[in-house]
Structures are given as structure tokens and as C-alpha cells.
DNA sequence: CACCAGGCAAGTA
DNA sequence: TACTTGCATGGT
């Protein structure tokens, strides 16, 4: 079986098992930006508390966050952890969007995916995963998001090379799938759902997981 | 108590 | 270039 078929079959398997996930969990593209920074190495449960704090203060808004003092922002996002660095990272991201896109996320969506990605990666605090999450879930660009679960699940089942890192894994997915933002959106969401349920770091074998029968697959 | 969670950048050799 | 460490809160 060709690799592309395997990746497409896994998608169908996960979709049938878990159903549509309706990601990203946010009410607006701006909330996606904020969530993408806040969720760095952090559980979504903690992120939600921080987002709720901002929402209750009417601060889930570009201009409002822009004018909010750094220290006050840090205090409000405290439940998400790393609040010192994350407050700075959010400010850095907003500053770039203001400068390069006039503070308009729709302008980011109108830019080419490649150019927009470069702009995002130039921000201190935005790495490949955060950039791609923003491109896909806030701007609707067709880029595949590779997160910790993607690494863990697909390595554990020998579906990507052991030593492969972000860009290589992303290329494998994008070569195997049609370029379709809705598909990339749903696939990543399903991988996270699978990871949460069956592929925890501390669980070496994915007992009962939908990919169990693939455990002995091989791939260069 | 130890360990983990939807990363990233800076420091070290 | 290839590792290591700091950042920090809340849940299991």
C-alpha cells in the first residue's frame, strides 16, 4: 500500500471513530491567535481559564490587548503558565500583525501562505507549530499542523521516520494528502483527540487505540 | 511525591 | 551544529 493511501485511510478511520471535531475551539480568529500562544507546552484546560479571564474583561480583541500593559496581560493569563514569556510573545505577535498587516487578520489570510509563514516565524515566540496553527485555524491557509501528538502517534506506529522533525513530518502529510484546509483542519484535530485518549506519553502501548493493527508497519 | 501538558528561545561546548 | 535549560500553572 502506498504511503499516501495509509495516511488517507487513517484519516477515514479516525473520522469514523471520533466524528468531526469542529476545531479550533475558539469564537473568533483573534481568539485563535491568543490560544495558539497560550497553549504552547500547556494543556488546553489551563488555556481556557486564561482565555475566560481575558473574555470577562472584554480583552479578546486586537486593539484592547494591544493597549493593555504587559504586566496586566501577564496577570490575566497566569492560569496558562509561563505567563511572563507568553505575555511578551503575544505582544510581539500583535506588533508584527499591526506593522505588516495593519492589525487585520483578514490581510494575513489574503497574503500567500509562504510569505505569511515567514512573517509569523520572524516573531520572537512564534515557532513552526504556532505559526502553522495560526495560518490554518485563523487565516484558513492549507498548511498541516504538526504537534506533539502527531510526532508521538505517528512515530510510535512507525508511520514517519524515527528521527524526523517538524518540517519533514509536515512534508510527509502534505505529500500524502490533497491540499485542502478543511481536511488539514479536521485531521489535526482528530490526531489530538486520538492522542488525548490513547497515546499519552506515559502509555507505551496504545491498547485499544484505532491504530493498534498498524503497530508493525514499517517505513524508511 | 513525581510527572505531564496541543513550544520556543537562549545558553553552552 | 547538537544538546541542555528556563519558563510556571493546574491536573493526575
Amino acid at each position: 500500500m502506498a504511503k499516501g493511501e495509509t495516511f488517507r485511510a487513517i484519516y477515514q478511520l479516525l473520522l469514523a471513530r471520533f466524528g468531526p471535531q469542529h476545531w479550533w475551539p475558539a469564537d473568533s480568529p483573534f481568539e485563535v491567535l491568543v490560544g495558539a500562544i497560550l497553549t504552547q507546552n500547556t494543556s488546553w484546560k489551563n488555556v481556557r481559564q486564561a482565555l475566560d479571564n481575558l473574555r470577562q474583561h472584554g480583552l479578546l480583541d486586537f486593539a484592547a490587548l494591544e493597549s493593555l500593559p504587559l504586566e496586566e496581560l501577564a496577570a490575566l493569563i497566569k492560569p496558562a503558565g509561563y505567563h511572563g514569556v507568553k505575555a511578551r510573545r503575544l505582544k510581539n505577535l500583535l506588533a508584527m500583525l499591526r506593522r505588516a498587516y495593519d492589525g487585520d487578520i483578514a490581510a494575513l489570510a489574503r497574503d500567500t501562505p509562504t510569505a505569511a509563514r515567514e512573517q509569523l516565524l520572524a516573531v520572537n515566540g512564534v515557532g513552526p507549530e504556532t505559526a502553522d496553527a495560526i495560518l490554518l485555524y485563523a487565516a484558513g491557509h492549507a498548511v498541516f499542523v504538526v504537534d506533539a501528538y502527531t510526532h508521538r502517534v505517528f512515530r510510535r506506529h512507525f508511520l514517519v521516520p524515527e528521527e524526523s522533525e517538524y518540517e519533514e513530518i509536515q512534508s510527509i502529510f502534505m505529500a500524502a494528502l490533497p491540499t485542502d484546509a478543511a481536511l488539514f483542519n479536521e485531521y489535526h484535530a482528530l490526531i489530538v483527540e486520538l492522542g488525548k485518549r490513547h497515546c499519552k506519553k506515559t502509555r507505551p502501548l496504545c491498547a485499544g487505540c484505532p491504530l493498534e493493527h498498524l503497530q508493525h508497519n514499517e517505513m524508511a
Side-chain angles (χ1 to χ4, degrees):
Chain A
M1 187 195 299
K3 290 179 213 162
E5 269 179 56
T6 305
F7 280 68
R8 293 192 289 276
I10 289 170
Y11 172 75
Q12 295 299 338
L13 202 62
L14 295 177
L15 184 61
R17 176 72 66 105
F18 301 132
Q21 299 297 303
H22 309 295
W23 263 40
W24 179 287
D27 295 336
S28 67
F30 182 74
E31 192 173 331
V32 175
L33 300 182
V34 180
I37 296 288
L38 294 183
T39 198
Q40 290 173 352
N41 201 39
T42 301
S43 70
W44 188 258
K45 190 173 287 190
N46 285 16
V47 174
R48 194 164 48 219
Q49 296 184 54
L51 287 173
D52 287 344
N53 281 346
L54 294 175
R55 199 185 336 270
Q56 284 165 20
H57 290 253
L59 294 168
L60 277 180
D61 170 83
F62 198 106
L65 266 202
E66 233 178 352
S67 55
L68 185 70
L70 184 68
E71 305 305 326
E72 293 182 32
L73 175 57
L76 286 165
I77 64 173
K78 210 165 186 181
Y82 307 118
H83 52 274
V85 293
K86 284 176 179 175
R88 262 181 280 119
R89 289 173 180 185
L90 274 169
K91 288 289 191 178
N92 294 343
L93 175 60
L94 297 181
M96 181 284 285
L97 290 170
R98 174 63 68 193
R99 177 174 43 73
Y101 298 101
D102 197 26
D104 182 8
I105 299 175
L108 186 74
R110 270 183 254 114
D111 200 356
T112 67
T114 307
R117 192 171 198 269
E118 281 180 23
Q119 293 280 11
L120 287 165
L121 289 176
V123 176
N124 186 315
V126 176
E129 185 190 335
T130 306
D132 289 337
I134 291 169
L135 288 171
L136 178 61
Y137 291 103
H141 283 303
V143 295
F144 201 92
V145 179
V146 177
D147 65 356
Y149 287 125
T150 314
H151 283 260
R152 191 182 308 149
V153 171
F154 282 74
R155 255 182 220 156
R156 199 169 280 185
H157 293 277
F158 307 104
L159 294 161
V160 296
E162 184 66 30
E163 304 300 319
S164 57
E165 292 184 31
Y166 194 97
E167 311 277 344
E168 185 181 354
I169 295 177
Q170 182 180 49
S171 313
I172 292 171
F173 274 87
M174 293 184 71
L177 305 169
T179 303
D180 179 346
L183 171 64
F184 293 170
N185 176 325
E186 189 61 53
Y187 205 156
H188 173 240
L190 287 165
I191 289 170
V192 172
E193 188 60 23
L194 171 65
K196 285 182 180 173
R197 297 198 196 201
H198 296 287
C199 207
K200 296 286 197 180
K201 199 175 202 173
T202 46
R203 190 188 308 192
L205 289 177
C206 302
C209 106
L211 306 186
E212 198 168 16
H213 67 288
L214 293 174
Q215 276 185 8
H216 301 296
N217 274 13
E218 288 180 27
M219 180 165 173

